[in-house]
Amino acid sequence: MRWSRRDSRGISQRNPKVTGVLPVTLEESRKIVQAFLHSGKEYVCVMKLHGDETENRVNEVLREFEDTIYQRPPLRASVKRQLRTRRIYYIDFLEMDGRNVLFKVGCEGGTYIRKLCYDVGEVLGCGAHMQELRRTRAGSLTENKDIVTLHDVAYWFAEWQQQKDKKILEKFIQPMERALTLVPKIYVRDSAVDAICHGANLTAPGILSLETGINSGSMMAVLTLKGEAVALTKAGASTEEILNMEHGIVAKTERVLMPRGTYPKCWRSGEA
Amino acid sequence: MFPAMPRSVAPWEIERKLLVKAEDKTNPRYGHKPEERPSEEYIRYGIINLDKPAGPTSHEVAAWVKRILNLQCVGHGGTLEA
């Protein structure tokens, strides 16, 4: 989609006053988008009330929305409009000025804050809408660390093209492994890597170490001892179970991140 | 003012420990540490924590980055569409 389209869509259809952390994946790293989609998000939001309410009442109602909520995506949404549940980890009321309410919300990916504001307004009785929104966190990326603007990207990239100094790239690009900070990780032997790159499932003998808190069915990142991401997998057992396994499949490979042949092939093929 | 309610744990509040199952070494001949990838590869295996400006959509912003960096394909994690 190009900028030149703006005339045909008109201002009302655009994204007014929605800013903040947007993880941009470059070429090969697009494969980790999955890890972002299911990660938690944090927003700071300005909600405009349509009537006068006391601070206490607003705070009370916001609190009611903590934990699990039901939500139907708004009319203009990029997903199917069916009722679904989303978890709200916390809502912190920050301040209130007249009819403008400022709050911070930590929620599961896919929660519509515009809808949340509308629903808060319904419960209050006076109605409300979302005025302004800023995403302060997407998974492991926050607005406090390594955030850059489009201008920074254009500037540093031009600088790098002239000087060819990798230090400049590091100012605005992070290795994709940064995105996996919050995903439970499992480290494997060099000899297991290429098989996984070819789509094989992860088996117990290849595992060197793993993090706590893995449950059967949860997403898990497979890494080499050098810390490179090999694949995203779906765990078939919990941390404790995996530790005691001698053989058998530990995780199903869902998305391979590393190209084949990066590590040597270490398995016997049929003909040999 | 309000009784302290037990907050549910957000994904970024979970602490994880690393448990070792077996020991092994890695061969320095293959692969690179993520920070030590050669420049071109570093870009292709990179992500940008971008501060999305107000106005353009997430898709447009991603398309701009693609043009600035002269890449084949650029995606974004989680549309910021509200």
Side-chain angles (χ1 to χ4, degrees):
Chain A
M1 225 180 277
R2 287 285 170 87
W3 189 219
S4 54
R5 278 224 191 158
R6 75 180 140 180
D7 302 324
S8 62
R9 282 192 297 158
I11 290 296
S12 61
Q13 281 191 27
R14 326 206 77 243
N15 258 355
K17 302 198 170 159
V18 178
T19 64
V21 177
L22 179 71
V24 177
T25 55
L26 313 175
E27 301 213 338
E28 293 295 321
S29 67
R30 69 183 182 278
K31 295 168 189 164
I32 55 149
V33 161
Q34 232 185 57
F36 275 116
L37 292 182
H38 300 291
S39 65
K41 311 284 192 311
E42 187 187 75
Y43 299 92
V44 171
C45 173
V46 179
M47 176 172 69
K48 181 107 176 169
L49 302 178
H50 300 163
D52 294 312
E53 291 288 345
T54 62
E55 224 164 88
N56 278 1
R57 175 96 178 101
V58 174
N59 199 333
E60 221 167 87
V61 171
L62 282 178
R63 273 303 175 81
E64 281 177 32
F65 281 81
E66 276 186 350
D67 219 33
T68 307
I69 60 163
Y70 286 89
Q71 200 176 54
R72 190 186 297 280
L75 262 177
R76 193 180 301 122
S78 52
V79 293
K80 189 177 176 188
R81 295 194 64 221
Q82 61 182 192
L83 200 63
R84 49 191 202 174
T85 59
R86 283 293 176 267
R87 278 187 71 77
I88 307 287
Y89 307 119
Y90 54 82
I91 298 189
D92 290 337
F93 173 90
L94 296 177
E95 59 180 69
M96 191 167 161
D97 175 29
R99 289 181 177 182
N100 289 323
V101 179
L102 185 71
F103 67 89
K104 187 190 229 178
V105 50
C107 57
E108 199 181 337
T111 313
Y112 281 90
I113 306 298
R114 190 181 297 281
K115 189 70 181 168
L116 181 78
C117 288
Y118 177 84
D119 292 341
V120 169
E122 292 293 291
V123 174
L124 277 168
C126 64
H129 68 268
M130 190 187 84
Q131 186 84 352
E132 218 172 298
L133 186 73
R134 181 163 177 83
R135 188 193 274 165
T136 51
R137 178 193 274 277
S140 53
L141 301 181
T142 67
E143 66 164 355
N144 304 318
K145 199 163 177 278
D146 302 320
I147 195 162
V148 293
T149 61
L150 275 171
H151 302 88
D152 293 333
V153 173
Y155 175 79
W156 291 123
F157 187 68
E159 197 88 329
W160 174 76
Q161 281 183 315
Q162 282 179 1
Q163 299 179 20
K164 293 287 173 192
D165 182 358
K166 211 185 131 209
K167 287 242 162 54
I168 297 172
L169 285 183
E170 285 164 10
K171 283 178 195 283
F172 70 100
I173 298 178
Q174 267 91 54
M176 64 174 174
E177 283 77 6
R178 257 298 298 280
L180 303 173
T181 319
L182 299 179
V183 182
K185 287 175 277 293
I186 193 158
Y187 293 86
V188 299
R189 290 178 208 274
D190 283 6
S191 54
V193 174
D194 204 44
I196 298 170
C197 293
H198 279 77
N201 292 330
L202 178 63
T203 52
I207 295 166
L208 291 174
S209 56
L210 68 159
E211 287 189 328
T212 52
I214 297 168
N215 295 313
S216 179
S218 60
M219 193 204 278
M220 196 163 73
V222 177
L223 282 85
T224 64
L225 279 178
K226 295 191 186 74
E228 310 145 280
V230 181
L232 294 177
T233 61
K234 195 172 178 184
S238 68
T239 302
E240 294 73 29
E241 287 166 347
I242 296 173
L243 269 179
N244 294 322
M245 277 169 88
E246 297 278 309
H247 50 78
I249 290 170
V250 167
K252 269 186 80 176
T253 302
E254 300 233 304
R255 196 77 165 103
V256 175
L257 305 170
M258 184 183 274
R260 297 168 186 183
T262 311
Y263 278 76
K265 173 180 159 181
C266 290
W267 72 90
R268 271 171 295 159
S269 53
E271 310 92 65
Chain B
M1 194 163 52
F2 293 99
M5 286 227 306
R7 271 163 58 139
S8 44
V9 183
W12 49 89
E13 292 167 343
I14 300 173
E15 280 182 30
R16 296 182 196 278
K17 270 190 294 193
L18 192 68
L19 304 175
V20 177
K21 187 166 186 272
E23 300 276 352
D24 198 5
K25 289 200 185 81
T26 174
N27 190 335
R29 276 172 57 199
Y30 311 109
H32 301 277
K33 285 185 181 169
E35 316 79 55
E36 289 167 9
R37 291 186 179 121
S39 292
E40 310 290 337
E41 205 175 310
Y42 186 82
I43 296 178
R44 291 198 303 119
Y45 286 86
I47 51 172
I48 297 181
N49 182 3
L50 198 74
D51 189 347
K52 180 191 162 298
T57 62
S58 301
H59 300 274
E60 286 168 333
V61 172
W64 285 355
V65 173
K66 178 175 152 185
R67 251 194 314 171
I68 293 171
L69 302 185
N70 211 350
L71 294 175
Q72 293 298 312
C73 83
V74 155
H76 59 85
T79 314
L80 191 43
E81 65 174 346

